Amino acid sequence: MNLKEIMKEAGIVGAGGAGFPSYAKLAEGADTLLINGAECEPLLYTDYVLLHKEMPTVLAGIEAVLDCAKIPCALLCVKEHTAKRLRLENGAKLAPRIVLKTLPDVYPMGDEVSLIYQATGRVVKAGNLPVTAGVIVYNVETMYNAASAIKRGLPLTYKWLTVGGDVPQPFVVKVPVGTPVAELFAKNGVVVPEGYAVLDGGPSMGKVIDYESAVVTKTTKGLLVLPDSCEAVASKFIDGAKSVARAETACCQCTRCTDMCPRALLGYPLEPHKMVRTAKGAVTLMPQMVLSASLCCGCGVCETLACCQGISPKAVINEYKALLAKNKMRFVSKEESAPMPEREYRMIPSGRWASVLGVAKFDKVAQYVGEQNDFTRAEIHLRQHIGAPSAAIVREGDKVNVGDKIAESAEGLSLPQHASVKGTVTLVDQTKIIIEKDSE
Protein backbone atom coordinates (compact mmCIF):
# COMPACT_ATOMS: atom_id res chain seq x y z
CA MET A 1 0.00 0.00 0.00
CA ASN A 2 1.19 3.52 -0.71
CA LEU A 3 1.01 6.35 1.81
CA LYS A 4 -2.34 7.63 0.55
CA GLU A 5 -3.93 4.21 0.96
CA ILE A 6 -2.40 3.70 4.42
CA MET A 7 -3.69 7.05 5.67
CA LYS A 8 -7.12 6.48 4.18
CA GLU A 9 -7.49 2.94 5.52
CA ALA A 10 -6.38 4.13 8.98
CA GLY A 11 -9.11 6.79 8.95
CA ILE A 12 -6.62 9.59 9.64
CA VAL A 13 -8.19 13.04 9.61
CA GLY A 14 -6.49 16.38 10.15
CA ALA A 15 -6.20 16.74 13.93
CA GLY A 16 -6.05 20.52 13.84
CA GLY A 17 -9.82 20.97 13.84
CA ALA A 18 -11.04 21.32 10.23
CA GLY A 19 -11.36 17.58 9.62
CA PHE A 20 -9.84 17.34 6.14
CA PRO A 21 -8.96 13.71 5.26
CA SER A 22 -5.17 13.53 5.54
CA TYR A 23 -4.65 11.28 2.52
CA ALA A 24 -6.23 13.89 0.25
CA LYS A 25 -3.52 16.45 1.04
CA LEU A 26 -0.81 14.33 -0.57
CA ALA A 27 -0.07 15.49 -4.09
CA GLU A 28 2.94 15.88 -6.34
CA GLY A 29 4.79 19.17 -6.41
CA ALA A 30 5.61 19.70 -2.75
CA ASP A 31 9.19 20.43 -1.73
CA THR A 32 8.50 21.27 1.92
CA LEU A 33 6.48 19.57 4.64
CA LEU A 34 5.26 21.87 7.41
CA ILE A 35 4.18 20.43 10.73
CA ASN A 36 1.77 22.76 12.49
CA GLY A 37 2.42 22.77 16.22
CA ALA A 38 1.52 26.41 16.68
CA GLU A 39 -1.48 25.83 19.00
CA CYS A 40 -3.22 28.76 17.30
CA GLU A 41 -5.68 29.44 20.12
CA PRO A 42 -5.22 30.25 23.82
CA LEU A 43 -5.69 27.55 26.50
CA LEU A 44 -4.75 24.62 24.23
CA TYR A 45 -1.67 22.53 25.06
CA THR A 46 -2.30 19.30 23.16
CA ASP A 47 0.51 19.69 20.62
CA TYR A 48 2.97 20.87 23.27
CA VAL A 49 2.33 17.80 25.43
CA LEU A 50 2.56 15.50 22.41
CA LEU A 51 5.93 16.96 21.48
CA HIS A 52 7.10 16.83 25.09
CA LYS A 53 6.01 13.22 25.67
CA GLU A 54 6.09 11.64 22.21
CA MET A 55 8.67 13.54 20.14
CA PRO A 56 10.32 10.35 18.76
CA THR A 57 6.96 9.06 17.50
CA VAL A 58 6.06 12.41 15.92
CA LEU A 59 9.45 12.56 14.20
CA ALA A 60 9.00 8.98 12.97
CA GLY A 61 5.69 9.99 11.40
CA ILE A 62 7.29 13.01 9.74
CA GLU A 63 10.16 10.92 8.35
CA ALA A 64 7.74 8.31 7.02
CA VAL A 65 5.75 10.98 5.19
CA LEU A 66 8.94 12.52 3.78
CA ASP A 67 10.00 9.10 2.46
CA CYS A 68 6.64 8.06 1.05
CA ALA A 69 5.81 11.43 -0.51
CA LYS A 70 9.38 12.06 -1.70
CA ILE A 71 9.56 15.46 0.01
CA PRO A 72 13.16 16.53 0.80
CA CYS A 73 12.68 18.42 4.07
CA ALA A 74 10.30 19.31 6.89
CA LEU A 75 9.89 22.22 9.28
CA LEU A 76 8.35 21.52 12.68
CA CYS A 77 6.69 24.85 13.45
CA VAL A 78 6.00 25.93 17.03
CA LYS A 79 5.54 29.28 18.72
CA GLU A 80 8.39 30.80 20.68
CA HIS A 81 6.87 29.97 24.07
CA THR A 82 6.50 26.30 23.09
CA ALA A 83 10.07 26.13 21.84
CA LYS A 84 11.24 27.60 25.14
CA ARG A 85 9.30 25.02 27.15
CA LEU A 86 10.74 22.26 24.97
CA ARG A 87 14.22 23.79 25.40
CA LEU A 88 14.72 24.01 21.65
CA GLU A 89 15.98 26.89 19.54
CA ASN A 90 15.04 28.09 16.08
CA GLY A 91 16.94 26.08 13.49
CA ALA A 92 17.55 23.11 15.79
CA LYS A 93 18.09 19.94 13.76
CA LEU A 94 15.65 17.35 15.11
CA ALA A 95 16.49 14.69 12.53
CA PRO A 96 18.55 14.65 9.29
CA ARG A 97 15.73 16.28 7.26
CA ILE A 98 13.69 17.91 10.02
CA VAL A 99 14.38 21.38 11.43
CA LEU A 100 12.59 23.35 14.15
CA LYS A 101 11.04 26.64 13.03
CA THR A 102 9.93 29.08 15.73
CA LEU A 103 6.99 31.39 15.11
CA PRO A 104 6.10 34.63 16.90
CA ASP A 105 3.62 34.41 19.78
CA VAL A 106 0.77 36.03 17.85
CA TYR A 107 -2.78 35.16 16.85
CA PRO A 108 -3.86 33.51 14.53
CA MET A 109 -0.47 32.03 13.68
CA GLY A 110 -1.86 28.49 13.47
CA ASP A 111 -3.95 29.51 10.45
CA GLU A 112 -2.54 27.49 7.58
CA VAL A 113 -2.01 30.39 5.18
CA SER A 114 -0.36 32.57 7.85
CA LEU A 115 1.82 29.66 8.97
CA ILE A 116 3.05 28.97 5.45
CA TYR A 117 4.04 32.59 4.90
CA GLN A 118 5.71 32.94 8.30
CA ALA A 119 7.69 29.71 7.91
CA THR A 120 8.63 29.85 4.23
CA GLY A 121 7.96 33.37 2.94
CA ARG A 122 5.54 31.94 0.38
CA VAL A 123 1.97 33.19 -0.06
CA VAL A 124 -0.56 30.63 -1.24
CA LYS A 125 -2.67 32.12 -4.04
CA ALA A 126 -6.08 33.06 -2.68
CA GLY A 127 -8.41 30.07 -2.59
CA ASN A 128 -5.73 27.61 -3.75
CA LEU A 129 -4.37 24.58 -1.93
CA PRO A 130 -0.98 24.84 -0.13
CA VAL A 131 0.58 22.31 -2.50
CA THR A 132 0.33 24.93 -5.28
CA ALA A 133 2.97 26.82 -3.27
CA GLY A 134 5.08 23.66 -2.93
CA VAL A 135 3.94 22.99 0.63
CA ILE A 136 1.95 20.32 2.47
CA VAL A 137 0.80 21.07 6.04
CA TYR A 138 -0.04 18.54 8.73
CA ASN A 139 -0.75 18.88 12.43
CA VAL A 140 1.59 17.41 15.08
CA GLU A 141 -1.02 14.86 16.17
CA THR A 142 -1.60 13.85 12.55
CA MET A 143 2.06 12.88 12.33
CA TYR A 144 1.76 10.90 15.55
CA ASN A 145 -1.20 9.06 14.02
CA ALA A 146 0.67 8.57 10.74
CA ALA A 147 3.55 6.89 12.60
CA SER A 148 1.09 4.54 14.30
CA ALA A 149 -0.46 3.64 10.93
CA ILE A 150 2.73 3.38 8.87
CA LYS A 151 5.03 1.77 11.42
CA ARG A 152 2.54 -0.35 13.40
CA GLY A 153 -0.50 -0.69 11.15
CA LEU A 154 -2.84 0.90 13.71
CA PRO A 155 -5.95 2.81 12.65
CA LEU A 156 -6.96 6.05 14.36
CA THR A 157 -8.93 5.08 17.47
CA TYR A 158 -7.54 7.47 20.12
CA LYS A 159 -7.63 11.26 20.51
CA TRP A 160 -5.33 13.60 22.41
CA LEU A 161 -7.07 16.69 23.79
CA THR A 162 -6.82 19.50 26.33
CA VAL A 163 -9.43 19.92 29.05
CA GLY A 164 -9.11 23.48 30.31
CA GLY A 165 -10.71 26.82 30.99
CA ASP A 166 -12.12 27.52 34.45
CA VAL A 167 -11.02 24.21 35.96
CA PRO A 168 -8.69 23.68 38.95
CA GLN A 169 -5.88 22.30 36.76
CA PRO A 170 -6.00 22.02 32.96
CA PHE A 171 -4.85 18.65 31.63
CA VAL A 172 -4.11 16.79 28.42
CA VAL A 173 -5.47 13.26 28.12
CA LYS A 174 -5.53 10.47 25.54
CA VAL A 175 -8.97 8.83 25.23
CA PRO A 176 -10.83 6.57 22.77
CA VAL A 177 -12.60 8.33 19.91
CA GLY A 178 -16.29 8.46 20.84
CA THR A 179 -15.75 8.90 24.59
CA PRO A 180 -18.76 10.62 26.23
CA VAL A 181 -17.67 14.09 27.40
CA ALA A 182 -19.80 13.81 30.56
CA GLU A 183 -18.00 10.60 31.57
CA LEU A 184 -14.61 12.17 30.86
CA PHE A 185 -15.48 15.15 33.04
CA ALA A 186 -16.88 13.01 35.86
CA LYS A 187 -13.81 10.77 35.92
CA ASN A 188 -11.52 13.79 36.24
CA GLY A 189 -13.61 15.85 38.66
CA VAL A 190 -14.51 18.55 36.12
CA VAL A 191 -17.70 20.39 37.07
CA VAL A 192 -19.67 22.71 34.77
CA PRO A 193 -21.37 25.31 37.01
CA GLU A 194 -24.60 27.14 36.24
CA GLY A 195 -23.90 30.02 33.85
CA TYR A 196 -21.01 28.22 32.14
CA ALA A 197 -20.64 26.71 28.68
CA VAL A 198 -18.39 24.01 27.23
CA LEU A 199 -16.57 24.65 23.96
CA ASP A 200 -15.30 21.95 21.65
CA GLY A 201 -12.17 23.62 20.27
CA GLY A 202 -10.46 26.88 21.13
CA PRO A 203 -12.07 29.97 22.66
CA SER A 204 -12.10 31.80 19.30
CA MET A 205 -13.20 29.18 16.79
CA GLY A 206 -14.58 26.44 19.02
CA LYS A 207 -18.29 25.59 19.18
CA VAL A 208 -20.61 25.48 22.18
CA ILE A 209 -21.68 21.88 22.85
CA ASP A 210 -24.10 20.11 25.15
CA TYR A 211 -21.48 18.34 27.22
CA GLU A 212 -24.05 15.93 28.66
CA SER A 213 -24.68 14.37 25.24
CA ALA A 214 -21.54 15.26 23.26
CA VAL A 215 -18.67 12.85 22.58
CA VAL A 216 -15.01 13.20 21.68
CA THR A 217 -14.48 13.09 17.92
CA LYS A 218 -11.37 12.89 15.75
CA THR A 219 -11.38 16.69 15.45
CA THR A 220 -11.78 17.51 19.15
CA LYS A 221 -8.66 19.49 20.03
CA GLY A 222 -9.87 20.75 23.38
CA LEU A 223 -12.82 20.94 25.75
CA LEU A 224 -13.01 24.29 27.54
CA VAL A 225 -15.25 25.18 30.48
CA LEU A 226 -15.88 28.94 30.35
CA PRO A 227 -18.36 31.43 31.87
CA ASP A 228 -21.18 32.63 29.61
CA SER A 229 -20.17 36.21 30.39
CA CYS A 230 -16.74 36.08 28.74
CA GLU A 231 -16.39 37.29 25.17
CA ALA A 232 -15.23 33.88 23.99
CA VAL A 233 -18.66 32.41 24.79
CA ALA A 234 -20.86 35.47 24.20
CA SER A 235 -19.61 35.82 20.61
CA LYS A 236 -20.89 32.31 19.81
CA PHE A 237 -24.49 33.48 20.21
CA ILE A 238 -24.40 36.41 17.79
CA ASP A 239 -27.34 36.22 15.39
CA GLY A 240 -26.02 36.28 11.84
CA ALA A 241 -29.28 37.40 10.25
CA LYS A 242 -29.61 40.29 12.71
CA SER A 243 -25.98 41.27 12.11
CA VAL A 244 -26.69 41.54 8.39
CA ALA A 245 -29.85 43.57 9.05
CA ARG A 246 -28.14 46.18 11.26
CA ALA A 247 -24.69 46.18 9.70
CA GLU A 248 -25.25 48.90 7.08
CA THR A 249 -26.74 51.41 9.50
CA ALA A 250 -24.42 50.81 12.46
CA CYS A 251 -21.13 50.70 10.55
CA CYS A 252 -19.11 53.92 11.00
CA GLN A 253 -16.99 53.07 7.93
CA CYS A 254 -13.68 53.04 9.81
CA THR A 255 -12.26 50.04 7.82
CA ARG A 256 -10.59 48.60 10.95
CA CYS A 257 -12.03 45.13 10.31
CA THR A 258 -10.18 44.99 6.98
CA ASP A 259 -7.07 46.71 8.35
CA MET A 260 -6.74 44.02 11.04
CA CYS A 261 -7.80 41.00 8.97
CA PRO A 262 -4.89 38.48 8.89
CA ARG A 263 -5.81 37.24 5.41
CA ALA A 264 -6.19 40.81 4.05
CA LEU A 265 -2.76 41.64 5.49
CA LEU A 266 -1.37 38.79 3.39
CA GLY A 267 -2.77 40.52 0.32
CA TYR A 268 -5.94 38.48 -0.09
CA PRO A 269 -8.90 40.34 -1.69
CA LEU A 270 -10.95 40.04 1.48
CA GLU A 271 -12.58 43.33 2.59
CA PRO A 272 -14.97 42.83 5.52
CA HIS A 273 -15.77 46.55 5.76
CA LYS A 274 -17.27 46.56 2.27
CA MET A 275 -19.32 43.47 3.04
CA VAL A 276 -20.68 45.15 6.16
CA ARG A 277 -21.48 48.45 4.41
CA THR A 278 -23.45 46.74 1.67
CA ALA A 279 -24.68 43.80 3.72
CA LYS A 280 -28.22 43.46 2.35
CA GLY A 281 -27.48 44.22 -1.28
CA ALA A 282 -23.95 42.83 -1.59
CA VAL A 283 -24.97 39.76 -3.59
CA THR A 284 -26.53 41.98 -6.26
CA LEU A 285 -24.12 44.93 -6.10
CA MET A 286 -20.79 43.10 -5.80
CA PRO A 287 -21.07 39.32 -6.34
CA GLN A 288 -17.29 38.92 -6.67
CA MET A 289 -16.81 40.48 -3.24
CA VAL A 290 -19.31 38.03 -1.73
CA LEU A 291 -17.37 35.20 -3.38
CA SER A 292 -14.26 36.33 -1.51
CA ALA A 293 -16.01 35.45 1.78
CA SER A 294 -14.77 31.90 1.22
CA LEU A 295 -11.24 33.21 1.91
CA CYS A 296 -12.11 34.04 5.55
CA CYS A 297 -10.41 31.75 8.10
CA GLY A 298 -12.98 32.55 10.81
CA CYS A 299 -10.43 33.85 13.32
CA GLY A 300 -12.85 36.44 14.75
CA VAL A 301 -10.39 39.35 14.87
CA CYS A 302 -12.87 41.56 12.99
CA GLU A 303 -15.72 41.09 15.47
CA THR A 304 -13.84 40.74 18.77
CA LEU A 305 -10.99 43.24 18.43
CA ALA A 306 -11.40 45.46 15.37
CA CYS A 307 -15.01 46.68 15.37
CA CYS A 308 -15.83 49.60 17.67
CA GLN A 309 -19.58 49.55 16.88
CA GLY A 310 -20.48 46.11 18.18
CA ILE A 311 -21.05 44.77 14.69
CA SER A 312 -19.88 41.28 13.79
CA PRO A 313 -18.31 41.29 10.33
CA LYS A 314 -17.59 37.61 10.95
CA ALA A 315 -21.31 36.89 11.33
CA VAL A 316 -22.04 38.74 8.08
CA ILE A 317 -19.29 36.78 6.31
CA ASN A 318 -20.62 33.50 7.74
CA GLU A 319 -24.00 34.25 6.16
CA TYR A 320 -22.24 34.65 2.81
CA LYS A 321 -20.19 31.49 3.42
CA ALA A 322 -23.38 29.51 3.97
CA LEU A 323 -24.79 30.87 0.72
CA LEU A 324 -21.61 29.96 -1.15
CA ALA A 325 -21.49 26.46 0.35
CA LYS A 326 -25.10 25.86 -0.62
CA ASN A 327 -24.26 26.76 -4.22
CA LYS A 328 -20.86 24.99 -4.12
CA MET A 329 -18.99 28.18 -4.95
CA ARG A 330 -15.66 29.54 -3.72
CA PHE A 331 -13.06 32.14 -4.64
CA VAL A 332 -10.01 30.85 -6.53
CA SER A 333 -7.38 33.26 -7.81
CA LYS A 334 -4.73 32.78 -10.48
CA GLU A 335 -2.89 35.88 -9.33
CA GLU A 336 -0.13 36.16 -6.76
CA SER A 337 -0.83 38.03 -3.52
CA ALA A 338 1.63 40.46 -1.95
CA PRO A 339 1.62 40.86 1.86
CA MET A 340 0.98 44.36 3.20
CA PRO A 341 4.13 46.14 4.49
CA GLU A 342 2.34 46.88 7.78
CA ARG A 343 1.48 43.22 8.47
CA GLU A 344 4.20 42.60 11.03
CA TYR A 345 3.06 45.65 13.04
CA ARG A 346 -0.58 44.56 13.11
CA MET A 347 -0.15 41.00 14.31
CA ILE A 348 -1.89 40.44 17.65
CA PRO A 349 0.18 39.19 20.63
CA SER A 350 -1.27 35.94 21.98
CA GLY A 351 -1.53 37.34 25.51
CA ARG A 352 -3.50 40.34 24.32
CA TRP A 353 -5.85 38.12 22.35
CA ALA A 354 -6.50 35.94 25.40
CA SER A 355 -7.32 39.09 27.41
CA VAL A 356 -9.72 40.37 24.74
CA LEU A 357 -11.53 37.01 24.83
CA GLY A 358 -11.71 37.15 28.62
CA VAL A 359 -9.81 33.89 29.09
CA ALA A 360 -6.31 35.07 30.05
CA LYS A 361 -6.87 34.29 33.75
CA PHE A 362 -7.61 30.66 32.89
CA ASP A 363 -4.39 30.13 30.93
CA LYS A 364 -2.29 27.59 32.84
CA VAL A 365 0.07 25.04 31.31
CA ALA A 366 -1.81 21.75 31.09
CA GLN A 367 -0.48 18.61 32.77
CA TYR A 368 -0.47 15.24 31.05
CA VAL A 369 -2.60 12.70 32.91
CA GLY A 370 -1.92 9.80 30.55
CA GLU A 371 -4.23 7.45 28.68
CA GLN A 372 -7.74 6.82 29.99
CA ASN A 373 -10.04 4.18 28.54
CA ASP A 374 -12.33 2.99 31.34
CA PHE A 375 -15.53 4.46 29.93
CA THR A 376 -18.85 2.67 29.40
CA ARG A 377 -19.27 3.18 25.68
CA ALA A 378 -18.03 4.79 22.49
CA GLU A 379 -20.24 6.74 20.09
CA ILE A 380 -18.55 6.82 16.69
CA HIS A 381 -19.92 9.50 14.37
CA LEU A 382 -20.01 8.67 10.67
CA ARG A 383 -19.17 12.25 9.71
CA GLN A 384 -15.96 13.20 11.48
CA HIS A 385 -14.35 14.62 8.37
CA ILE A 386 -14.92 16.95 5.44
CA GLY A 387 -16.59 15.01 2.63
CA ALA A 388 -19.12 12.21 2.41
CA PRO A 389 -20.02 10.42 5.68
CA SER A 390 -18.78 6.89 6.27
CA ALA A 391 -21.11 3.95 5.59
CA ALA A 392 -21.71 1.54 8.48
CA ILE A 393 -20.81 -2.13 7.87
CA VAL A 394 -21.78 -3.52 11.29
CA ARG A 395 -25.17 -4.38 12.74
CA GLU A 396 -26.68 -4.13 16.18
CA GLY A 397 -25.53 -7.09 18.25
CA ASP A 398 -22.15 -7.47 16.50
CA LYS A 399 -19.10 -7.99 18.69
CA VAL A 400 -16.11 -5.77 17.84
CA ASN A 401 -12.53 -5.36 19.00
CA VAL A 402 -10.43 -2.20 19.13
CA GLY A 403 -9.29 -1.36 15.61
CA ASP A 404 -12.00 -3.33 13.78
CA LYS A 405 -13.41 -1.47 10.80
CA ILE A 406 -17.05 -0.61 11.51
CA ALA A 407 -17.74 1.78 8.61
CA GLU A 408 -16.37 2.00 5.08
CA SER A 409 -15.45 5.23 3.32
CA ALA A 410 -18.05 6.45 0.84
CA GLU A 411 -17.31 7.38 -2.75
CA GLY A 412 -15.35 10.58 -3.29
CA LEU A 413 -13.71 12.38 -0.38
CA SER A 414 -14.38 10.21 2.67
CA LEU A 415 -12.86 8.01 5.40
CA PRO A 416 -13.64 4.72 7.16
CA GLN A 417 -14.29 4.44 10.92
CA HIS A 418 -12.91 1.94 13.41
CA ALA A 419 -14.01 0.61 16.80
CA SER A 420 -12.19 2.40 19.61
CA VAL A 421 -13.33 0.00 22.35
CA LYS A 422 -14.00 -3.73 22.65
CA GLY A 423 -17.68 -4.45 23.06
CA THR A 424 -21.11 -4.89 21.50
CA VAL A 425 -22.71 -2.69 18.85
CA THR A 426 -25.99 -1.48 20.35
CA LEU A 427 -27.07 1.14 17.80
CA VAL A 428 -26.48 1.84 14.12
CA ASP A 429 -28.21 4.70 12.33
CA GLN A 430 -27.48 7.24 9.60
CA THR A 431 -25.23 9.37 11.81
CA LYS A 432 -23.50 7.16 14.38
CA ILE A 433 -22.55 3.74 15.73
CA ILE A 434 -22.70 3.11 19.48
CA ILE A 435 -20.56 0.42 21.08
CA GLU A 436 -21.23 -0.64 24.68
CA LYS A 437 -17.91 -1.58 26.18
CA ASP A 438 -17.39 -5.08 27.59
CA SER A 439 -16.92 -5.16 31.35
CA GLU A 440 -13.42 -6.20 32.30
Side-chain angles (χ1 to χ4, degrees):
M1 262 195 280
N2 62 32
L3 180 58
K4 270 194 171 186
E5 292 171 338
I6 292 171
M7 283 186 157
K8 184 171 184 177
E9 280 302 300
I12 298 176
V13 61
F20 196 77
S22 298
Y23 77 89
K25 284 190 174 185
L26 292 170
E28 294 183 0
D31 58 41
T32 305
L33 177 66
L34 293 186
I35 310 306
N36 188 348
E39 305 271 31
C40 182
E41 299 221 44
L43 311 185
L44 300 181
Y45 288 90
T46 309
D47 292 341
Y48 159 67
V49 169
L50 255 172
L51 291 172
H52 181 58
K53 298 293 183 181
E54 298 285 350
M55 180 70 86
T57 304
V58 173
L59 294 178
I62 297 172
E63 289 178 321
V65 172
L66 289 176
D67 289 338
C68 295
K70 296 181 173 59
I71 300 174
C73 64
L75 297 177
L76 175 54
C77 304
V78 298
K79 288 182 179 176
E80 291 168 350
H81 70 265
T82 301
K84 189 174 181 179
R85 291 191 180 105
L86 293 171
R87 297 182 179 180
L88 294 171
E89 294 183 356
N90 184 47
K93 200 167 187 179
L94 306 175
R97 294 171 292 169
I98 307 170
V99 173
L100 187 85
K101 177 66 178 180
T102 59
L103 309 168
D105 290 327
V106 298
Y107 177 80
M109 188 45 67
D111 167 48
E112 190 171 66
V113 174
S114 297
L115 176 80
I116 291 170
Y117 176 69
Q118 199 69 39
T120 68
R122 305 175 191 177
V123 179
V124 180
K125 291 178 182 177
N128 287 260
L129 296 174
V131 73
T132 61
V135 177
I136 292 175
V137 183
Y138 283 124
N139 180 260
V140 165
E141 189 178 354
T142 305
M143 291 297 90
Y144 175 88
N145 294 330
S148 298
I150 297 168
K151 300 294 186 182
R152 294 182 282 171
L154 299 177
L156 174 52
T157 59
Y158 275 83
K159 189 73 184 80
W160 294 69
L161 63 119
T162 303
V163 177
D166 193 1
V167 297
Q169 173 58 55
F171 61 92
V172 171
V173 63
K174 182 183 179 185
V175 298
V177 172
T179 294
V181 173
E183 283 194 45
L184 174 62
F185 281 6
K187 177 179 175 60
N188 292 279
V190 175
V191 177
V192 183
E194 188 74 25
Y196 275 65
V198 177
L199 301 185
D200 183 328
S204 307
M205 296 184 242
K207 296 181 179 179
V208 176
I209 60 170
D210 177 1
Y211 77 95
E212 294 182 332
S213 62
V215 299
V216 173
T217 71
K218 293 179 180 179
T219 58
T220 301
K221 201 67 179 176
L223 295 167
L224 304 179
V225 181
L226 296 170
D228 293 345
S229 57
C230 75
E231 180 62 29
V233 175
S235 64
K236 305 294 186 290
F237 296 100
I238 293 174
D239 188 307
K242 288 183 179 178
S243 290
V244 171
R246 67 182 292 269
E248 290 177 315
T249 55
C251 177
C252 68
Q253 304 185 26
C254 67
T255 76
R256 275 175 55 87
C257 53
T258 298
D259 294 341
M260 296 292 293
C261 174
R263 292 284 181 92
L265 288 169
L266 282 171
Y268 277 26
L270 181 59
E271 300 177 289
H273 72 283
K274 289 185 179 179
M275 296 183 188
V276 169
R277 290 179 190 177
T278 58
K280 293 181 184 177
V283 175
T284 303
L285 296 173
M286 291 179 284
Q288 187 69 7
M289 182 192 69
V290 173
L291 194 62
S292 72
S294 64
L295 302 176
C296 170
C297 68
C299 68
V301 168
C302 57
E303 74 173 8
T304 305
L305 183 64
C307 186
C308 60
Q309 295 293 332
I311 302 169
S312 174
K314 178 182 174 181
V316 175
I317 291 173
N318 283 343
E319 290 292 304
Y320 295 153
K321 279 184 173 181
L323 179 65
L324 294 173
K326 183 179 179 180
N327 291 281
K328 297 181 179 180
M329 299 171 66
R330 64 188 182 92
F331 187 102
V332 180
S333 177
K334 295 181 180 180
E335 299 178 0
E336 302 282 350
S337 297
M340 302 289 185
E342 57 270 28
R343 175 182 176 271
E344 65 177 298
Y345 306 109
R346 291 184 182 169
M347 292 193 291
I348 305 162
S350 298
R352 183 186 178 197
W353 183 245
S355 295
V356 169
L357 291 173
V359 302
K361 60 185 175 182
F362 307 128
D363 195 3
K364 303 174 186 175
V365 179
Q367 297 178 354
Y368 181 50
V369 298
E371 181 180 317
Q372 297 179 356
N373 55 24
D374 52 341
F375 304 102
T376 62
R377 65 189 178 91
E379 182 178 308
I380 312 297
H381 290 185
L382 298 177
R383 187 187 287 277
Q384 299 186 67
H385 52 266
I386 291 173
S390 313
I393 57 172
V394 291
R395 297 179 179 178
E396 293 176 12
D398 286 353
K399 296 286 187 179
V400 295
N401 292 307
V402 176
D404 286 353
K405 187 183 289 188
I406 58 175
E408 284 283 8
S409 56
E411 289 189 15
L413 190 65
S414 188
L415 286 172
Q417 307 297 336
H418 302 81
S420 60
V421 297
K422 179 183 178 182
T424 304
V425 176
T426 58
L427 185 145
V428 179
D429 64 20
Q430 296 298 311
T431 63
K432 61 185 177 292
I433 298 169
I434 295 179
I435 306 167
E436 295 293 336
K437 189 179 178 183
D438 287 347
S439 57
E440 298 178 354

